[in-house]
Amino acid sequence: MILGLRASSQEVRYAILEKDSTGNIIFRNRASENRLKYPANIESVEGKLRWIKAEIDRILRQNAEIDKIAIKTNEYAGTETAAKRETTYVDAIFLLCAAEHCLPVVRKLNSQIGSSASRAKEYAESRVGKTNQYWNNAMADAILVAYWEIK
């Protein structure tokens, strides 16, 4: 089972994918929790990092069958913003959680998951379906990064 993660400055989206006995890929959390929105009362980057670490640790405890983490990272576009930098910090928390839980981890760009920003939702939906709520590119990225590790 793979945990796919995609961070943004407002939230983290995650997808838990697994293969069934016939080789079909199942999107386990399609209709349940797949969005971690930062609480409004947490304003500091340090507070967000502490909170997201606790949330990822919780997800890993609740889904002990997860055996790998896949992270969709920011694209290298030559420009860095405060939001992109903050997302990079969150990605580092994902790496820390993987290390603490002794899980292998991979980081991927769009070109490594056969995607693009303009077509991510279409590609994710055609492979495993879309979420019932809050369907966006970040969720599609989380699905696709997990998909390319499990397919």
Side-chain angles (χ1 to χ4, degrees), residues 1-6 11-17 28-29 32-37 51-70 90 93-94 97-98 101 103 139 142:
M1 191 169 355
I2 305 290
L3 173 62
L5 295 163
R6 178 62 162 126
E11 64 187 9
V12 169
R13 300 306 300 270
Y14 72 97
I16 301 172
L17 303 185
R28 285 195 50 192
N29 63 322
S32 59
E33 181 188 57
N34 52 52
R35 180 183 188 216
L36 302 171
K37 187 158 179 61
W51 180 82
I52 200 62
K53 181 175 185 319
E55 289 296 301
I56 298 301
D57 286 340
R58 175 186 60 81
I59 291 165
L60 292 171
R61 275 192 315 275
Q62 291 175 343
N63 299 278
E65 309 86 9
I66 291 172
D67 54 11
K68 190 173 199 177
I69 294 176
V90 175
I93 293 298
F94 299 157
C97 289
H101 290 268
L103 295 172
M139 187 68 236

Side-chain angles (χ1 to χ4, degrees), residues 6 72-79 84 108-113 115-117 141:
R6 178 62 162 126
K72 170 56 179 76
T73 60
N74 286 327
E75 300 296 312
Y76 301 111
T79 59
K84 279 189 177 183
K108 302 280 185 180
L109 299 167
N110 277 331
S111 62
Q112 297 169 304
I113 60 173
S115 185
S116 67
D141 284 347

